[in-house]
Amino acid sequence: MSQTITLRGTPCAVAGTLPAPGDSLADFTLTTAKLADVSLADYAGKRKIFNIFPSMDTPTCALSVKRFNAEVDALDNVVLFQISADLPFAHSRFCTAEGLDNGVALSMMRDKRFAEDYGVLMAEGPMAGICARAVIVADEHDVVLHSELVPELAQEPKYEDALAALKV
C-alpha cells in the first residue's frame, strides 16, 4: 500500500502504511551513532517518540531534531528516536556540533525494511529510498498513541500534537 506526499509541491509515493493509533509497533533493527544495532525491545517499558526524517543535513530536518531534543528533556520515561537514512557518522557529527544528547540517533543503513514497515519509504522521485518525514508516538507497551506523515516534505511536523499524546 502507498500514500502520497509532496516534495516542494510535486507528488511522491510513500510505500508502506504508517502505524495508526491503536496499532502495535513492528520490531526493527537500527544502528546507533556508535555502530551498535538496537531493536524496539531494547527500549521496553519506555514511552517513545519516533522523529523520522530524510536527512540531518537539511534545514527542516535539523529543526525537528533540535525541537524534539529540547522538548523531550522535560518528559519522564520517554525515549526519543531520531531516525533517518543518514550514516551513523552524520548523526554523530550533527548531534555533537549542536550539543544534542536527549535523543537516540538511529540509522537505517543496515535495515532498509524499517522505512517500508513503518510506512515512510519514499518510493519514487529524487529522494527515493530514504524516509519521508513522520512522527510516531507510542506508549510503554509499544502501542501507537499518535502518528503523522507530514504531507509536504519541506514542512515541520505538528510538534504540539505529538507531545500532547504523551500527556494523556
Side-chain angles (χ1 to χ4, degrees), residues 3 9 11 16 34 42 48 72 77 84 86 93 114 126 134 144 148:
Q3 302 176 76
K34 294 183 180 181
D42 291 318
K48 298 154 188 79
V72 79
N77 197 36
S84 73
D86 291 311
R93 173 189 40 78
F114 168 83
V144 176
E148 174 193 12

Side-chain angles (χ1 to χ4, degrees), residues 44-129:
K46 295 266 190 192
R47 299 181 302 154
K48 298 154 188 79
I49 299 174
F50 290 73
N51 180 29
I52 305 167
F53 50 89
S55 174
M56 294 255 192
D57 291 323
T58 64
T60 306
C61 298
L63 288 171
S64 74
V65 169
K66 292 177 196 176
R67 172 77 183 268
F68 275 121
N69 206 281
E71 297 282 357
V72 79
D73 196 38
L75 302 173
D76 292 329
N77 197 36
V78 174
V79 62
L80 169 63
F81 298 126
Q82 308 276 25
I83 303 170
S84 73
D86 291 311
L87 291 175
F89 314 111
H91 280 277
S92 182
R93 173 189 40 78
F94 180 86
C95 292
T96 299
E98 297 294 332
L100 305 176
D101 57 9
N102 287 331
V104 179
L106 296 172
S107 170
M108 57 177 236
M109 74 176 207
R110 293 186 187 134
D111 186 356
K112 302 299 183 194
R113 290 185 339 254
F114 168 83
E116 190 165 1
D117 289 350
Y118 276 69
V120 296
L121 178 64
M122 295 182 66
E124 62 186 22
M127 306 275 273

Side-chain angles (χ1 to χ4, degrees), residues 2 4 8 24 52 84 89-90 102 113 127-128 147 153 158 160 162:
S2 71
T4 301
R8 303 217 185 279
S24 292
I52 305 167
S84 73
F89 314 111
N102 287 331
R113 290 185 339 254
M127 306 275 273
S147 62
L153 198 60
K158 297 175 184 166
E160 295 78 15

